Amino acid sequence: MKTIEVDDELYRYIASHTQHIGESASDILRRMLKVAAGSQAAAAQAKESAPVSAAVAEKPANPAKDRVRAMRELLLSDEYAEQKRAVNRFMLVLSTLYSLDAKAFAEATESLHGRTRVYFAGDEQTLLQSGNQTKPKHVPGTPYWVITNTNTGRKCSMIEHIMQTMQFPAELIEKVCGTI
């Protein structure tokens, strides 16, 4: 996998065509350009014979940048923008964070709890035992359940804790929390 640099305007345009969480920029471009996955070999041969343009400099993949990019793509996605309720945006962010690094997500949620409530668990029953009005919901695409009967500020502090533990940049954490 190769990485290319694009200007902010082009990046927003590509990200605006995201159809589902976790869709990569490559998948979006393949769909937009109608390029099938089987065409990779032909593209690679053509690339080897063509000089690299100064405008498109290749770089090795950077996992930290990819995680940041994925979170930014989520914030720009139609699916995220269409969510009317904070709890739905909260669930999308949690699903995305888990998909980016399940191990780091697990470590971040282990220590996340309130004075009397458990916030995350592997099953609904554990959350119900920590309070009658927790309204547990399954986090899509994960083995986790989360309490949802908290105010938006508490949801944001949970996201902030997870993202800090996963070592996301402070400005991105602030932006994500500001959209919930």
Side-chain angles (χ1 to χ4, degrees), residues 36-139:
S39 326
Q40 282 182 321
Q45 288 175 346
K47 185 183 137 223
E48 288 173 8
S49 63
V52 175
S53 164
V56 180
E58 291 188 23
K59 291 184 177 180
N62 181 339
K65 273 189 173 180
D66 291 344
R67 292 176 345 139
V68 168
R69 180 171 290 141
M71 287 307 297
R72 288 187 174 142
E73 286 175 0
L74 171 67
L75 298 180
L76 293 171
S77 72
D78 290 340
E79 181 181 13
Y80 192 78
E82 290 168 357
Q83 300 305 318
K84 302 292 184 229
R85 300 179 61 218
V87 69
N88 295 338
R89 291 187 295 275
F90 174 64
M91 298 299 277
L92 279 174
V93 170
L94 291 175
S95 292
T96 302
L97 289 171
Y98 178 85
S99 73
L100 294 173
D101 190 341
K103 183 180 177 194
F105 184 89
E107 291 170 4
T109 57
E110 280 177 14
S111 62
L112 192 54
H113 54 81
R115 190 174 45 84
T116 59
R117 284 182 164 180
V118 175
Y119 293 159
F120 289 88
D123 61 88
E124 182 180 20
Q125 200 57 40
T126 302
L127 297 177
L128 289 171
Q129 290 171 354
S130 76
N132 294 334
Q133 302 296 322
T134 57
K135 293 190 181 176
K137 287 193 178 194
H138 181 252
V139 181

Side-chain angles (χ1 to χ4, degrees), residues 24-51:
S24 71
S26 291
D27 294 339
I28 297 167
L29 288 171
R30 281 186 187 287
R31 187 178 68 263
M32 291 171 66
L33 298 171
K34 296 176 177 51
V35 175
S39 326
Q40 282 182 321
Q45 288 175 346
K47 185 183 137 223
E48 288 173 8
S49 63

